[in-house]
Amino acid sequence: MNTKFPYTDMNLPQAIQRLPELAYNVWFSWNQDALELFAQIDRERWDQILHNPVRLLVETDPAVWESLSRDDRFLQRYEHVLKQWDHYRSEPTWFEKTYPEQLAYRIAYFSAEFGFHESLPIYSGGLGILAGDHCKSASDLGIPLTGIGLLYKKGYFNQKINTAGSQQAEDVVYDFTKLPLLPVLTDQGERLAVQVNLGDRIVTLHIWQVLVGRNSVYLLDADIEGNSPWDRELTGQLYGGNQDIRIAQEVLLGVGGVKALRALNLPTAVYHINEGHAAFQAIERIREQLENGVPFHVAVEIIRASSVFTTHTPVPAGHDAFPIPMVEYYFSTLFSRWKEHKQAWMKLGLEDSKPLFNMTHLALNTAALRNGVSKLHGQVSREMFRSFHGNIDEREVPIGHITNGVHLATWLAPELKELYDRFLPGNWQANQTNADLWRSIELIPSESLWEIHRQLKERLIRYARANLREQRRRNDLPADKVEEVRGFLSADALTIGFARRFATYKRANLIFNDLQRLDRLVNDPQRPVQFLFAGKAHPADHPGQEMIREIYRVSQMDRFRGKIVLLENYDMNLARYLVQGVDVWLNNPRRPYEASGTSGQKAALNGVINFSILDGWWEEGYDGSNGWSIDGSQEADWQMQEKENTESIYRKLEQEIVPLYYNQGKLPHQWAARMKRSIRTLAPVYNTDRMVMDYTNQTYIPTLKRILSLIADDYDAVTKVADFKQFVYANWHFVRILEVNDGANGKPSPPKITDARQPSKEVTATIRFGPIWYRDTAVELVYYEERPDGWHPVVVAMEPLKELGDRVVQYRAVIPSHLQHRAHFSVRVHPVSANFASSFELPLVTSL
């Protein structure tokens, strides 16, 4: 495939001919020198066009290029950036040094949205920003990762707030030739395209390339001639339209994404599904195997062994599910070609309790390794999907967790980066996951940290005022009302930020439960507090939009005007100002519905202190001294939890946070100490370098090694595994636990002493296996013991004692003698194999 920069023939002077190379790689978005280089071309215009270097190239007068090519200051910066860029691409990477033998294959990373930079607005919120940060760190670490997504002609939407406080979703149609995107061309110079069957028609997709440092993300575009008007709109807007549009988008993403990988001729071994939107990729990959003559059950095993699935939402309604006839229609061409496998395909996504095809169920059934995005979310996911895995304790459900992080170079304020450069070891950014390295944060003088924080806060306030002035000007408010904004907000006041998607479970309006108390906080003449809110609600989310109206209504009250403000059009640009400039980052979701949350991690990098419900990442990040928790009983009903959470917010603000901020004069030493503690404990953990290393070490490399082993020798091992599973499924009903004897039935067995501190006794179990070989099972005794954090299962492997004939085997185990009654423990049998990815890969458990 050809990579050609469209504007290399625009007669740029020789001295600056590599500018397009920098403009078309979103590496510029996390290199401050590159950003400054483009800003130097035309700083005012740069801000107006949302820091879009490609548009700057297209729209700048040729005479400016001639002038810049003779500007020594510009040329010096240009050469400096090119030197950084060339060094970045040539230096040895973590992956090359750690896994030099695994460079031949790529990891495909499927996501419905990617947030790289405000100049490429194809993201809506946290999921997309995470995907963008994931790709950036993959590039930094040299991981051979290829992104797959859709290219939305209208992006998400621009948010406007009217004089009633209502959100207005403004559609924008983007000109792809003015975005940091490249059309993918064949060797003959034609547009590379793939075709996807959608029901009774074929949709053609063009492929676009986003260069992300060392890697690429490929985006599919249906807005081309030859497709019907309805089909051209399928890649019109992110998360827009009805269920028909939603399922069609997900077919294009999953099926079209696999076809794009094949058209690009990329040798892909691992497929990472970032949320269930892309799970249809499994159906297409099964079809490929069938076309190659592989039996269906073996094809499924190949796809499972090579797939990784990350689930992001603990809210049941957040898991896409479609009526069965709808799925049958969209895959009608496939099902007519392979009639005999239609039911098996459909079974992969069926819900147990409803006649729906669930995308998360499809992903779980076709990915051997699955994870949530925080420790708590992993636990919640295991609870949600326990029914998939038989009669086992929820803690044994094979869904792990890899806690989210953020891309440090993208979200850290440049001024703080310079400060860190002065006090942290010289290689600190390349080794940001090293906690010992971050101890040097304590060497930074409090005066220096506070001075920079103050600058960032003042910059935020200037930006916030400009945002509010534009709101009022556009809404035709009188000139005095527009100018009134110049007096809003104060750099001296304790400033609290709340910015995220306005979904009801995030409870953006929680602090408004007691306006009298809020009034006292905000209008304290000696210790004032001010609040900045920002966020979008999905156009179809009316309760979320009502929250926006409530925040706006409160912000317009005389007692809160200029001290509580609602900023419009939350995007990556506004997010940077907020997470770098507020004093406290407030997060009060309804636990445990915040799967992870990453905005607070961005804030923590910048010395902003978190004040949050112990949910998502904060449940594991909070240590009692690096921020504050919002308390409340987790067992109480929602109404009581809301009361307790509200009371906790006010109590901690009044008694801890506000006094700490104000009681130390102009330089709050204790506040600065807490800022340092927050940075030192959180920055080395909650970054995407650590996160992507975890994905690589725990999922990508094990998956790569496993699938290559399974398909070696003409698919010999994977065929045996698939056949074994079929055999076990067909014969598991023969497995019976005939008897369990702990000495209580008949003559008691004498206690056995295996530990001087713990008397023990022997338990035997007699099991009939039928056609299944007993060595292909695990026989285990399970009991529970109390620990400080609750009751935990203890699993004791039982050993075969003797074969009794007729496929009956007696097992034995030794357990503590205080387990005197049979009700205190159970015995279970489940199938195992050295080729399984987890102990409970098959949801078959027989217990007594």
Side-chain angles (χ1 to χ4, degrees), residues 330-526:
Y330 278 97
F331 285 97
S332 56
T333 301
L334 177 71
F335 293 157
S336 65
R337 166 75 172 84
W338 301 95
K339 294 184 180 68
E340 68 273 28
H341 300 308
K342 174 184 171 182
Q343 292 309 313
W345 253 310
M346 293 298 295
K347 187 178 178 182
L348 293 172
L350 289 182
E351 288 196 16
D352 296 332
S353 56
K354 302 177 224 178
L356 292 173
F357 189 95
N358 188 299
M359 298 298 287
T360 301
H361 289 217
L362 175 60
L364 288 168
N365 279 321
T366 57
L369 298 184
R370 300 83 64 91
N371 69 279
V373 290
S374 69
K375 181 179 179 182
L376 178 60
H377 181 232
Q379 175 188 326
V380 171
S381 298
R382 289 189 288 275
E383 292 171 1
M384 287 179 71
F385 301 113
R386 179 182 176 184
S387 63
F388 267 77
H389 303 93
N391 183 27
I392 58 175
D393 188 277
E394 66 196 30
R395 282 163 283 206
E396 297 175 301
V397 171
I399 299 175
H401 79 276
I402 294 176
T403 302
N404 285 346
V406 297
H407 188 246
L408 184 146
T410 294
W411 297 104
L412 180 64
E415 296 85 349
L416 282 173
K417 179 186 176 298
E418 290 180 10
L419 183 66
Y420 295 177
D421 283 343
R422 285 164 46 199
F423 290 93
L424 272 62
N427 61 349
W428 73 271
Q429 226 176 320
N431 294 283
Q432 61 192 257
T433 62
N434 184 339
D436 290 338
L437 175 153
W438 287 91
R439 295 178 188 276
S440 298
I441 284 289
E442 300 294 347
L443 301 176
I444 297 175
S446 294
E447 296 84 353
S448 300
L449 181 61
W450 186 252
E451 180 184 354
I452 288 176
H453 176 67
R454 174 83 180 198
Q455 293 170 14
L456 296 171
K457 189 174 180 181
E458 290 171 346
R459 184 169 69 190
L460 163 64
I461 289 173
R462 288 194 298 273
Y463 189 86
R465 289 170 179 166
N467 184 293
L468 292 168
R469 281 200 304 275
E470 175 57 23
Q471 278 188 51
R472 294 186 170 202
R473 184 202 61 75
R474 192 191 63 256
N475 287 325
D476 295 324
L477 267 65
D480 62 321
K481 291 294 184 183
V482 175
E483 290 306 307
E484 176 189 32
V485 170
R486 294 186 185 278
F488 284 8
L489 304 171
S490 167
D492 295 325
L494 172 64
T495 303
I496 298 176
F498 184 105
R500 53 190 48 84
R501 181 168 55 91
F502 283 124
T504 51
Y505 75 86
K506 293 177 183 284
R507 302 189 300 181
N509 55 353
L510 187 65
I511 199 163
F512 298 148
N513 284 346
D514 190 338
L515 291 183
Q516 296 305 316
R517 217 162 165 182
L518 182 61
D519 187 356
R520 291 196 296 271
L521 274 174
V522 166
N523 291 303
D524 186 317
Q526 303 301 320

Side-chain angles (χ1 to χ4, degrees), residues 14 18 78 112 133 172 181 194 208-209 228 236 341 344 348 422 569 603 620 720 738 790 802:
Q14 180 69 32
R18 292 182 68 188
Y78 170 77
D133 283 7
V172 180
L181 291 166
V194 295
W208 295 78
Q209 181 181 26
S228 71
H341 300 308
L348 293 172
R422 285 164 46 199
N569 206 35
E620 58 195 90
K720 289 177 180 176
L738 303 178
K802 56 186 172 181

Side-chain angles (χ1 to χ4, degrees), residues 821-847:
H821 194 277
R822 269 287 291 112
H824 295 159
F825 64 88
S826 62
V827 172
R828 70 185 183 192
V829 188
H830 60 96
V832 293
S833 167
N835 283 315
F836 284 180
S838 66
S839 297
F840 294 96
E841 182 152 330
L842 288 180
L844 301 171
V845 181
T846 296
S847 60

Side-chain angles (χ1 to χ4, degrees), residues 181-216:
L181 291 166
L182 293 166
V184 178
L185 307 176
T186 67
D187 292 336
Q188 291 72 42
E190 299 173 349
R191 290 299 305 268
L192 185 66
V194 295
Q195 294 187 321
V196 176
N197 289 101
L198 279 185
D200 55 1
R201 65 201 188 279
I202 294 175
V203 176
T204 302
L205 302 166
H206 280 164
I207 305 173
W208 295 78
Q209 181 181 26
V210 182
L211 298 169
V212 187
R214 298 178 173 93
N215 294 325
S216 291

Side-chain angles (χ1 to χ4, degrees), residues 34 99 102 229 241 244 259 294 312 373 382 392 395 409 431 479 488 501 524 552 581 628 717 785:
Y99 299 107
Q102 306 295 353
D244 262 308
K259 287 178 176 286
V294 177
H312 286 265
V373 290
R382 289 189 288 275
I392 58 175
R395 282 163 283 206
N431 294 283
F488 284 8
R501 181 168 55 91
D524 186 317
Y552 182 84
W628 295 275
E785 67 178 17

